[in-house]
Amino acid sequence: MAKTGEAELLQLRREIDRIDAEILRLLGERGRLTQEVGACKQAAGSTQFYHPDREAEILRRVVEQNPGPYSAEQIGTIFREIISAGLALEQPLQVAYLGPVGTFSQLAAEKQFGHAAAFVPVGNIAEIFRLTDSGAAQFGVVPVENSTEGAVNQTLDLMLDYPLQICGEVELRIVHNLVAAIPREAIRRVHVHYQTRAQCRQWLAQNLPGVELCDAPSNAEAAQRAASDPEGAAVSTRAAAQHAGLQILAEGIEDNPENSTRFWVIGKIPTRSTGADKTSIVVGGAHRAGSLYTLLAPFAAAEISLTRIESRPSRSARWQYVFYLDFLGHQQDARVQEVLASLQETAAFLRILGSYPRAVY
């Protein structure tokens, strides 16, 4: 009986080896085709070799065609890395993100571009915009909203300061962990970013009452500070904890189990319509009764779904506001073009921030 089981196991392993060899052959074939695509682009004089719309179509297709047993996220991650490696055969992408190493922004950048890209950690969101605008980085990844804490206002304001396009979005499930090099009972201080503290407020109050909470500029920096503090811990990512040599004492301590952050991918390239897109605009109405209704009515008439409305103070006049709108559809779509044409006539201010593929997984 045991020999029969061993023989069956051996046969299964041989079958896996055969499939691995076939996967390797197909990956090589795909890589060669990718190189030919790059050569065609160069011959045509094109300098744009990364197309977020094409990548989104590939990922959406393989996720929809996934027969299992792997999850949609697992399949998406595998193919993201295949695409990333293929792009690196042409030219590694330079991608700026909010550092240091181990932040959620880094995780979002890796989810969007795969690990074959060249990532550039910077100290603040404004620097991401500056590097992307100057061409030092081809793309930047910036946080725009959290499902618990709302909008990242600095990102919204900077979109008006720079002539950049939104060309993609990333949705990242946010998991906060209590990390330290000491036992929980020895903790006297917790280093934590202010937004993270707000997202873990109840857990910290219930499980670490009386412990001092010390502000840190990022989750990754919080881990670094805890590593050098003999009585300190941090709330941070798994990646930052590993980088700092810390242990995870408690995993998933965020108060909202559905806590997520949405990021924009910013760059200088427009994307074509994929059939599953979003468009983001900034619009301002005249300072009179009914102006907001006038701005929103065309969307209802065209049956276009608004996914987000955010107001920010206008920089041109006191007590006046502009509205950041996200809605389903692409500016190349006929219905969206009609709405934008209507807004051009009625709005005091309109700027299209970009149309881009919706997050796939």
Side-chain angles (χ1 to χ4, degrees):
M1 192 70 168
K3 289 184 178 180
T4 302
E6 290 177 4
E8 183 180 1
L9 182 60
L10 182 61
Q11 180 59 34
L12 290 172
R13 286 173 174 168
R14 286 173 177 167
E15 186 67 9
I16 289 174
D17 291 344
R18 181 191 66 78
I19 293 172
D20 285 346
E22 181 65 9
I23 291 173
L24 190 60
R25 184 188 68 78
L26 291 172
L27 284 174
E29 184 175 335
R30 192 187 194 283
R32 285 187 289 274
L33 289 172
T34 299
Q35 289 176 317
E36 290 181 22
V37 168
C40 288
K41 291 177 184 176
Q42 286 186 336
S46 174
T47 59
Q48 182 179 327
F49 61 93
Y50 174 69
H51 295 268
D53 39 33
R54 167 63 176 160
E55 182 174 301
E57 288 175 334
I58 294 171
L59 291 173
R60 191 167 285 113
R61 184 181 69 247
V62 298
V63 166
E64 290 173 352
Q65 295 176 351
N66 175 28
Y70 296 112
S71 69
E73 184 173 357
Q74 288 171 327
I75 288 296
T77 299
I78 291 168
F79 273 83
R80 177 73 76 186
E81 293 300 332
I82 291 173
I83 295 170
S84 179
L87 287 170
L89 292 174
E90 299 181 59
Q91 179 183 342
L93 291 171
Q94 299 284 329
V95 181
Y97 72 91
L98 184 61
V101 173
T103 61
F104 287 113
S105 291
Q106 180 187 4
L107 298 179
E110 291 172 349
K111 183 175 181 180
Q112 176 69 19
F113 292 98
H115 287 77
F119 296 107
V120 183
V122 301
N124 55 69
I125 294 174
E127 184 68 3
I128 298 174
F129 278 84
R130 191 191 68 78
L131 288 178
T132 307
D133 184 54
S134 70
Q138 289 141 316
F139 297 95
V141 176
V142 292
V144 62
E145 64 175 329
N146 176 263
S147 60
T148 301
E149 294 303 302
V152 180
N153 291 328
Q154 185 181 13
T155 294
L156 298 180
D157 292 342
L158 286 166
M159 284 303 302
L160 290 181
D161 292 339
Y162 287 88
L164 297 172
Q165 291 274 310
I166 304 169
C167 47
E169 72 169 357
V170 187
E171 293 180 1
L172 190 69
R173 170 74 173 84
I174 301 299
V175 178
H176 294 302
N177 309 291
L178 180 69
V179 302
I182 57 177
R184 187 188 294 189
E185 57 270 19
I187 295 173
R188 299 294 177 267
R189 285 173 296 279
V190 175
H191 301 274
V192 57
H193 186 265
Y194 75 95
Q195 287 185 326
T196 300
R197 178 172 58 190
Q199 295 165 22
C200 304
R201 184 183 295 110
Q202 294 179 15
W203 192 96
L204 291 170
Q206 292 172 3
N207 293 274
L208 293 173
V211 170
E212 181 184 4
L213 301 179
C214 303
D215 286 339
S218 70
N219 292 291
E221 178 63 26
Q224 293 293 335
R225 293 182 182 185
S228 60
D229 185 345
E231 295 182 320
V235 180
S236 193
T237 65
R238 179 179 292 274
Q242 292 174 343
H243 186 73
L246 303 176
Q247 299 296 316
I248 294 179
L249 303 185
E251 186 174 8
I253 68 172
E254 60 278 2
D255 298 329
N256 180 359
E258 299 301 320
N259 187 26
S260 299
T261 294
R262 181 169 168 249
F263 296 80
W264 277 338
V265 179
I266 56 174
K268 295 184 175 181
I269 62 172
T271 63
R272 60 176 175 78
S273 176
T274 68
D277 306 287
K278 280 183 184 176
T279 297
S280 296
I281 65 174
V282 186
V283 63
H287 194 48
R288 62 173 182 265
S291 62
L292 180 57
Y293 173 82
T294 302
L295 295 176
L296 298 183
F299 293 96
E303 298 184 339
I304 292 175
S305 177
L306 289 165
T307 60
R308 187 170 70 103
I309 303 175
E310 193 78 35
S311 65
R312 291 288 295 149
S314 171
R315 299 182 184 184
S316 59
R318 287 189 305 165
W319 310 119
Q320 293 192 21
Y321 293 83
V322 294
F323 298 91
Y324 289 77
L325 307 180
D326 293 347
F327 55 90
L328 300 184
H330 194 284
Q331 59 187 303
Q332 295 174 350
D333 301 343
R335 286 193 303 167
V336 173
Q337 288 180 346
E338 291 176 2
V339 170
L340 294 176
S342 176
L343 291 177
Q344 288 280 12
E345 295 179 359
T346 59
F349 170 79
L350 172 66
R351 177 172 168 188
I352 302 172
L353 301 179
S355 294
Y356 46 93
R358 300 204 306 263
V360 178
Y361 64 93

